[in-house]
Amino acid sequence: MKYVDEFRDGVLARGLARAIAAEVRPDRRYNFMEFCGGHTHAILRYGVLDLLPENVRMIHGPGCPVCVLPIGRIDLAIRLALTHGVTLCTYADTLRVPASGGMSLMRARARGGDIRMVYAVTDALKIAREHPHKQVVFFAIGFETTTPPTAVAIRQARDEGLRNFCVLCCHVLTPPAIMSILESPKVRAVGSVPLDGFIGPAHVSTVIGSRPYEFLAKEYRKPVVIAGFEPLDVMQAILMLTRQVNDGRAEVENEFTRAVTPEGNAKAQALIAEVFELRRSFEWRGLGEVPYSALKIRPAYAEFDAERRFDLDYTPVPDNKACECGAILRGVKRPTDCKLFGTVCNPETPMGSCMVSSEGACAAHYTYGCNRDVEAAA
Ligand code: SF4
């Protein structure tokens, strides 16, 4: 197949649905987690759940970069804008994530903070060049996919001698998060859903390749199938996972061969390694502190590190008690389990991070409806 609409073909989708139905055994349940918000969005937008047998359940994972940002990190960005008076640049969805005290970056902007929505880190560099008297901070979020452009921007700022530009680095890593889900006592607790396998990320895997998932298959005996973000990609991955489970195999398979190789993108990896190093620990919304699951800026580029430049200390902040985002991101609850879903919490007035981005499980459920999930929960 060559064009994107071919990966959305209804006839082919129904053919895959029949193949999955023929493969699943009636005497067992299949619980697969799609790690990425992009997959969650595709599954709900294209009605993939309606094409699956009743005993195949998809569980949403924590792979939405906006969703996993803890409140304390948003608070840091707000502090930079309101207390330190910087020009803070970030992606649109980040502006709407609830912070502590009823704040958000959007509300901080209403209070006079110079907070700007950008499409790419290069926009932040441009603002820094055009306003040399201002301190410009790029609030960098995202998984391995968005990390290389941040690395390029930091190198570019160094090469240009752009001293009024720096980065609040909140880039996170996928494999340690999957490991954390498998290790979490809350996930392994009696009554929680046993996971039979994972749909591995698409874009992240174009950077890191398929090899970093192999320990999940070897040490945790969990199959992983890396898949593209189109509905036929997802359905093919579900078929491949089902076959692995039926055969008693736990392997890393790659459905997204048109973009992902075992080694990934060596150039991007080298860039990341040059500019960033592992953080000893990082707080994720829902997962808590996860060891070696995020990146910080290396000492060689310290002058571009906003945490150092502004002497920022991180303070964890508990989530809103009524919001179930944490449990949803761990895969132990569904959006419809939350009492606030669709009432006081909706995409216009999000109470938690999962209702902000279109990749967030709550926002995707709200936008596309998902009666199948509600029925399965009953
Ligand atoms: S519906 Fe809103 S409050 Fe409930 S878990 Fe989702 S984001 Fe949080």
PDB file of all heavy atoms in Angstrom, residues 320 322-326 328 334-335 338-342 345-346 349-356 362-363, ligand 1:
ATOM      1  N   ASN A 320      -5.454  16.045  41.486  1.00  0.00           N
ATOM      2  CA  ASN A 320      -6.830  16.283  41.926  1.00  0.00           C
ATOM      3  C   ASN A 320      -7.451  14.933  42.310  1.00  0.00           C
ATOM      4  O   ASN A 320      -7.471  14.002  41.509  1.00  0.00           O
ATOM      5  CB  ASN A 320      -7.578  16.920  40.736  1.00  0.00           C
ATOM      6  CG  ASN A 320      -9.032  17.161  41.028  1.00  0.00           C
ATOM      7  OD1 ASN A 320      -9.605  16.589  41.934  1.00  0.00           O
ATOM      8  ND2 ASN A 320      -9.630  18.037  40.236  1.00  0.00           N
ATOM      9  N   ALA A 322     -10.413  13.852  42.683  1.00  0.00           N
ATOM     10  CA  ALA A 322     -11.587  13.377  41.939  1.00  0.00           C
ATOM     11  C   ALA A 322     -11.216  12.884  40.540  1.00  0.00           C
ATOM     12  O   ALA A 322     -11.998  12.206  39.890  1.00  0.00           O
ATOM     13  CB  ALA A 322     -12.605  14.497  41.832  1.00  0.00           C
ATOM     14  N   CYS A 323     -10.025  13.218  40.080  1.00  0.00           N
ATOM     15  CA  CYS A 323      -9.612  12.868  38.711  1.00  0.00           C
ATOM     16  C   CYS A 323      -8.944  11.500  38.701  1.00  0.00           C
ATOM     17  O   CYS A 323      -8.084  11.217  39.526  1.00  0.00           O
ATOM     18  CB  CYS A 323      -8.651  13.949  38.196  1.00  0.00           C
ATOM     19  SG  CYS A 323      -7.853  13.529  36.640  1.00  0.00           S
ATOM     20  N   GLU A 324      -9.327  10.660  37.761  1.00  0.00           N
ATOM     21  CA  GLU A 324      -8.808   9.291  37.683  1.00  0.00           C
ATOM     22  C   GLU A 324      -7.687   9.146  36.660  1.00  0.00           C
ATOM     23  O   GLU A 324      -7.361   8.044  36.241  1.00  0.00           O
ATOM     24  CB  GLU A 324      -9.950   8.325  37.312  1.00  0.00           C
ATOM     25  CG  GLU A 324     -11.101   8.283  38.296  1.00  0.00           C
ATOM     26  CD  GLU A 324     -10.786   7.442  39.526  1.00  0.00           C
ATOM     27  OE1 GLU A 324      -9.608   7.066  39.708  1.00  0.00           O
ATOM     28  OE2 GLU A 324     -11.716   7.172  40.295  1.00  0.00           O
ATOM     29  N   CYS A 325      -7.113  10.263  36.227  1.00  0.00           N
ATOM     30  CA  CYS A 325      -6.083  10.185  35.182  1.00  0.00           C
ATOM     31  C   CYS A 325      -4.971   9.193  35.535  1.00  0.00           C
ATOM     32  O   CYS A 325      -4.509   8.439  34.680  1.00  0.00           O
ATOM     33  CB  CYS A 325      -5.442  11.556  34.958  1.00  0.00           C
ATOM     34  SG  CYS A 325      -6.346  12.589  33.820  1.00  0.00           S
ATOM     35  N   GLY A 326      -4.540   9.217  36.803  1.00  0.00           N
ATOM     36  CA  GLY A 326      -3.448   8.331  37.205  1.00  0.00           C
ATOM     37  C   GLY A 326      -3.777   6.879  36.922  1.00  0.00           C
ATOM     38  O   GLY A 326      -2.985   6.149  36.306  1.00  0.00           O
ATOM     39  N   ILE A 328      -6.055   5.727  34.928  1.00  0.00           N
ATOM     40  CA  ILE A 328      -6.274   5.523  33.482  1.00  0.00           C
ATOM     41  C   ILE A 328      -4.920   5.358  32.788  1.00  0.00           C
ATOM     42  O   ILE A 328      -4.737   4.478  31.937  1.00  0.00           O
ATOM     43  CB  ILE A 328      -7.074   6.702  32.890  1.00  0.00           C
ATOM     44  CG1 ILE A 328      -8.514   6.659  33.424  1.00  0.00           C
ATOM     45  CG2 ILE A 328      -7.075   6.661  31.359  1.00  0.00           C
ATOM     46  CD1 ILE A 328      -9.299   7.922  33.185  1.00  0.00           C
ATOM     47  N   ARG A 334     -10.893   3.028  33.216  1.00  0.00           N
ATOM     48  CA  ARG A 334     -11.266   3.617  31.931  1.00  0.00           C
ATOM     49  C   ARG A 334     -11.805   5.018  32.150  1.00  0.00           C
ATOM     50  O   ARG A 334     -12.295   5.324  33.248  1.00  0.00           O
ATOM     51  CB  ARG A 334     -12.389   2.795  31.304  1.00  0.00           C
ATOM     52  CG  ARG A 334     -12.023   1.393  30.963  1.00  0.00           C
ATOM     53  CD  ARG A 334     -13.305   0.643  30.682  1.00  0.00           C
ATOM     54  NE  ARG A 334     -13.417  -0.447  31.627  1.00  0.00           N
ATOM     55  CZ  ARG A 334     -13.442  -1.724  31.279  1.00  0.00           C
ATOM     56  NH1 ARG A 334     -13.403  -2.037  30.017  1.00  0.00           N
ATOM     57  NH2 ARG A 334     -13.514  -2.671  32.176  1.00  0.00           N
ATOM     58  N   PRO A 335     -11.768   5.827  31.120  1.00  0.00           N
ATOM     59  CA  PRO A 335     -12.314   7.184  31.275  1.00  0.00           C
ATOM     60  C   PRO A 335     -13.726   7.192  31.835  1.00  0.00           C
ATOM     61  O   PRO A 335     -14.079   8.023  32.670  1.00  0.00           O
ATOM     62  CB  PRO A 335     -12.262   7.741  29.855  1.00  0.00           C
ATOM     63  CG  PRO A 335     -11.109   7.037  29.230  1.00  0.00           C
ATOM     64  CD  PRO A 335     -11.138   5.640  29.806  1.00  0.00           C
ATOM     65  N   CYS A 338     -14.591   7.410  35.573  1.00  0.00           N
ATOM     66  CA  CYS A 338     -14.427   8.667  36.315  1.00  0.00           C
ATOM     67  C   CYS A 338     -15.774   9.381  36.416  1.00  0.00           C
ATOM     68  O   CYS A 338     -16.465   9.575  35.409  1.00  0.00           O
ATOM     69  CB  CYS A 338     -13.408   9.565  35.613  1.00  0.00           C
ATOM     70  SG  CYS A 338     -13.257  11.172  36.411  1.00  0.00           S
ATOM     71  N   LYS A 339     -16.100   9.770  37.644  1.00  0.00           N
ATOM     72  CA  LYS A 339     -17.411  10.424  37.872  1.00  0.00           C
ATOM     73  C   LYS A 339     -17.500  11.781  37.173  1.00  0.00           C
ATOM     74  O   LYS A 339     -18.570  12.292  36.912  1.00  0.00           O
ATOM     75  CB  LYS A 339     -17.632  10.618  39.366  1.00  0.00           C
ATOM     76  CG  LYS A 339     -17.867   9.327  40.128  1.00  0.00           C
ATOM     77  CD  LYS A 339     -18.298   9.628  41.571  1.00  0.00           C
ATOM     78  CE  LYS A 339     -18.599   8.343  42.338  1.00  0.00           C
ATOM     79  NZ  LYS A 339     -17.413   7.514  42.528  1.00  0.00           N
ATOM     80  N   LEU A 340     -16.353  12.374  36.888  1.00  0.00           N
ATOM     81  CA  LEU A 340     -16.372  13.714  36.273  1.00  0.00           C
ATOM     82  C   LEU A 340     -16.446  13.655  34.744  1.00  0.00           C
ATOM     83  O   LEU A 340     -16.659  14.679  34.094  1.00  0.00           O
ATOM     84  CB  LEU A 340     -15.116  14.496  36.680  1.00  0.00           C
ATOM     85  CG  LEU A 340     -14.801  14.601  38.174  1.00  0.00           C
ATOM     86  CD1 LEU A 340     -13.590  15.499  38.402  1.00  0.00           C
ATOM     87  CD2 LEU A 340     -15.998  15.145  38.932  1.00  0.00           C
ATOM     88  N   PHE A 341     -16.268  12.447  34.188  1.00  0.00           N
ATOM     89  CA  PHE A 341     -16.185  12.304  32.728  1.00  0.00           C
ATOM     90  C   PHE A 341     -17.461  12.816  32.041  1.00  0.00           C
ATOM     91  O   PHE A 341     -18.564  12.368  32.332  1.00  0.00           O
ATOM     92  CB  PHE A 341     -15.959  10.839  32.349  1.00  0.00           C
ATOM     93  CG  PHE A 341     -15.925  10.593  30.871  1.00  0.00           C
ATOM     94  CD1 PHE A 341     -14.767  10.825  30.144  1.00  0.00           C
ATOM     95  CD2 PHE A 341     -17.058  10.153  30.184  1.00  0.00           C
ATOM     96  CE1 PHE A 341     -14.730  10.612  28.770  1.00  0.00           C
ATOM     97  CE2 PHE A 341     -17.030   9.942  28.817  1.00  0.00           C
ATOM     98  CZ  PHE A 341     -15.861  10.174  28.107  1.00  0.00           C
ATOM     99  N   GLY A 342     -17.251  13.756  31.144  1.00  0.00           N
ATOM    100  CA  GLY A 342     -18.364  14.227  30.313  1.00  0.00           C
ATOM    101  C   GLY A 342     -19.316  15.154  31.036  1.00  0.00           C
ATOM    102  O   GLY A 342     -20.261  15.675  30.442  1.00  0.00           O
ATOM    103  N   CYS A 345     -16.005  17.591  33.603  1.00  0.00           N
ATOM    104  CA  CYS A 345     -14.770  17.468  32.828  1.00  0.00           C
ATOM    105  C   CYS A 345     -15.085  17.136  31.373  1.00  0.00           C
ATOM    106  O   CYS A 345     -15.683  16.091  31.070  1.00  0.00           O
ATOM    107  CB  CYS A 345     -13.881  16.379  33.429  1.00  0.00           C
ATOM    108  SG  CYS A 345     -12.284  16.272  32.587  1.00  0.00           S
ATOM    109  N   ASN A 346     -14.727  18.010  30.509  1.00  0.00           N
ATOM    110  CA  ASN A 346     -14.891  17.790  29.065  1.00  0.00           C
ATOM    111  C   ASN A 346     -13.772  18.572  28.372  1.00  0.00           C
ATOM    112  O   ASN A 346     -13.052  19.334  29.028  1.00  0.00           O
ATOM    113  CB  ASN A 346     -16.294  18.214  28.600  1.00  0.00           C
ATOM    114  CG  ASN A 346     -16.569  19.665  28.912  1.00  0.00           C
ATOM    115  OD1 ASN A 346     -15.899  20.539  28.357  1.00  0.00           O
ATOM    116  ND2 ASN A 346     -17.532  19.935  29.789  1.00  0.00           N
ATOM    117  N   THR A 349     -13.498  22.230  29.325  1.00  0.00           N
ATOM    118  CA  THR A 349     -13.082  22.522  30.711  1.00  0.00           C
ATOM    119  C   THR A 349     -12.417  21.280  31.305  1.00  0.00           C
ATOM    120  O   THR A 349     -13.004  20.595  32.142  1.00  0.00           O
ATOM    121  CB  THR A 349     -14.294  22.920  31.578  1.00  0.00           C
ATOM    122  OG1 THR A 349     -15.283  21.877  31.473  1.00  0.00           O
ATOM    123  CG2 THR A 349     -14.876  24.248  31.166  1.00  0.00           C
ATOM    124  N   PRO A 350     -11.199  20.953  30.852  1.00  0.00           N
ATOM    125  CA  PRO A 350     -10.549  19.728  31.342  1.00  0.00           C
ATOM    126  C   PRO A 350     -10.181  19.848  32.824  1.00  0.00           C
ATOM    127  O   PRO A 350      -9.640  20.852  33.246  1.00  0.00           O
ATOM    128  CB  PRO A 350      -9.291  19.629  30.472  1.00  0.00           C
ATOM    129  CG  PRO A 350      -9.040  21.015  29.975  1.00  0.00           C
ATOM    130  CD  PRO A 350     -10.362  21.705  29.914  1.00  0.00           C
ATOM    131  N   MET A 351     -10.496  18.800  33.584  1.00  0.00           N
ATOM    132  CA  MET A 351     -10.110  18.767  35.008  1.00  0.00           C
ATOM    133  C   MET A 351      -8.815  17.970  35.189  1.00  0.00           C
ATOM    134  O   MET A 351      -8.199  18.017  36.239  1.00  0.00           O
ATOM    135  CB  MET A 351     -11.223  18.105  35.846  1.00  0.00           C
ATOM    136  CG  MET A 351     -12.578  18.771  35.722  1.00  0.00           C
ATOM    137  SD  MET A 351     -12.551  20.462  36.356  1.00  0.00           S
ATOM    138  CE  MET A 351     -12.400  20.155  38.105  1.00  0.00           C
ATOM    139  N   GLY A 352      -8.458  17.199  34.190  1.00  0.00           N
ATOM    140  CA  GLY A 352      -7.243  16.401  34.253  1.00  0.00           C
ATOM    141  C   GLY A 352      -6.557  16.398  32.904  1.00  0.00           C
ATOM    142  O   GLY A 352      -7.142  16.796  31.886  1.00  0.00           O
ATOM    143  N   SER A 353      -5.321  15.933  32.877  1.00  0.00           N
ATOM    144  CA  SER A 353      -4.526  16.011  31.650  1.00  0.00           C
ATOM    145  C   SER A 353      -5.062  15.109  30.533  1.00  0.00           C
ATOM    146  O   SER A 353      -4.874  15.401  29.364  1.00  0.00           O
ATOM    147  CB  SER A 353      -3.070  15.642  31.961  1.00  0.00           C
ATOM    148  OG  SER A 353      -3.021  14.337  32.505  1.00  0.00           O
ATOM    149  N   CYS A 354      -5.737  14.009  30.892  1.00  0.00           N
ATOM    150  CA  CYS A 354      -6.198  13.074  29.847  1.00  0.00           C
ATOM    151  C   CYS A 354      -7.346  13.633  29.015  1.00  0.00           C
ATOM    152  O   CYS A 354      -7.745  13.032  28.021  1.00  0.00           O
ATOM    153  CB  CYS A 354      -6.639  11.756  30.475  1.00  0.00           C
ATOM    154  SG  CYS A 354      -5.332  10.910  31.343  1.00  0.00           S
ATOM    155  N   MET A 355      -7.912  14.776  29.444  1.00  0.00           N
ATOM    156  CA  MET A 355      -9.008  15.375  28.690  1.00  0.00           C
ATOM    157  C   MET A 355      -8.508  16.525  27.813  1.00  0.00           C
ATOM    158  O   MET A 355      -9.284  17.171  27.125  1.00  0.00           O
ATOM    159  CB  MET A 355     -10.088  15.872  29.672  1.00  0.00           C
ATOM    160  CG  MET A 355     -11.407  16.261  29.056  1.00  0.00           C
ATOM    161  SD  MET A 355     -12.218  14.954  28.105  1.00  0.00           S
ATOM    162  CE  MET A 355     -13.388  14.269  29.268  1.00  0.00           C
ATOM    163  N   VAL A 356      -7.192  16.769  27.794  1.00  0.00           N
ATOM    164  CA  VAL A 356      -6.668  17.946  27.096  1.00  0.00           C
ATOM    165  C   VAL A 356      -6.344  17.637  25.633  1.00  0.00           C
ATOM    166  O   VAL A 356      -6.922  18.214  24.713  1.00  0.00           O
ATOM    167  CB  VAL A 356      -5.417  18.486  27.826  1.00  0.00           C
ATOM    168  CG1 VAL A 356      -4.775  19.607  27.006  1.00  0.00           C
ATOM    169  CG2 VAL A 356      -5.793  19.000  29.218  1.00  0.00           C
ATOM    170  N   CYS A 362      -9.272  10.243  27.791  1.00  0.00           N
ATOM    171  CA  CYS A 362     -10.578  10.829  28.127  1.00  0.00           C
ATOM    172  C   CYS A 362     -11.096  11.692  26.977  1.00  0.00           C
ATOM    173  O   CYS A 362     -12.275  11.634  26.623  1.00  0.00           O
ATOM    174  CB  CYS A 362     -10.470  11.657  29.405  1.00  0.00           C
ATOM    175  SG  CYS A 362     -10.037  10.656  30.838  1.00  0.00           S
ATOM    176  N   ALA A 363     -10.204  12.484  26.391  1.00  0.00           N
ATOM    177  CA  ALA A 363     -10.624  13.351  25.280  1.00  0.00           C
ATOM    178  C   ALA A 363     -11.068  12.518  24.088  1.00  0.00           C
ATOM    179  O   ALA A 363     -12.077  12.830  23.434  1.00  0.00           O
ATOM    180  CB  ALA A 363      -9.486  14.278  24.885  1.00  0.00           C
TER     181      ALA A 363
HETATM  182  S1  SF4 B   1     -12.613  12.548  32.857  1.00  0.00           S
HETATM  183 FE1  SF4 B   1     -11.410  14.338  33.464  1.00  0.00          FE
HETATM  184  S2  SF4 B   1     -11.268  14.245  35.665  1.00  0.00           S
HETATM  185 FE2  SF4 B   1     -11.875  12.224  34.950  1.00  0.00          FE
HETATM  186  S3  SF4 B   1      -9.982  11.084  34.666  1.00  0.00           S
HETATM  187 FE3  SF4 B   1     -10.448  12.014  32.722  1.00  0.00          FE
HETATM  188  S4  SF4 B   1      -9.326  13.950  32.744  1.00  0.00           S
HETATM  189 FE4  SF4 B   1      -9.414  13.245  34.879  1.00  0.00          FE
END
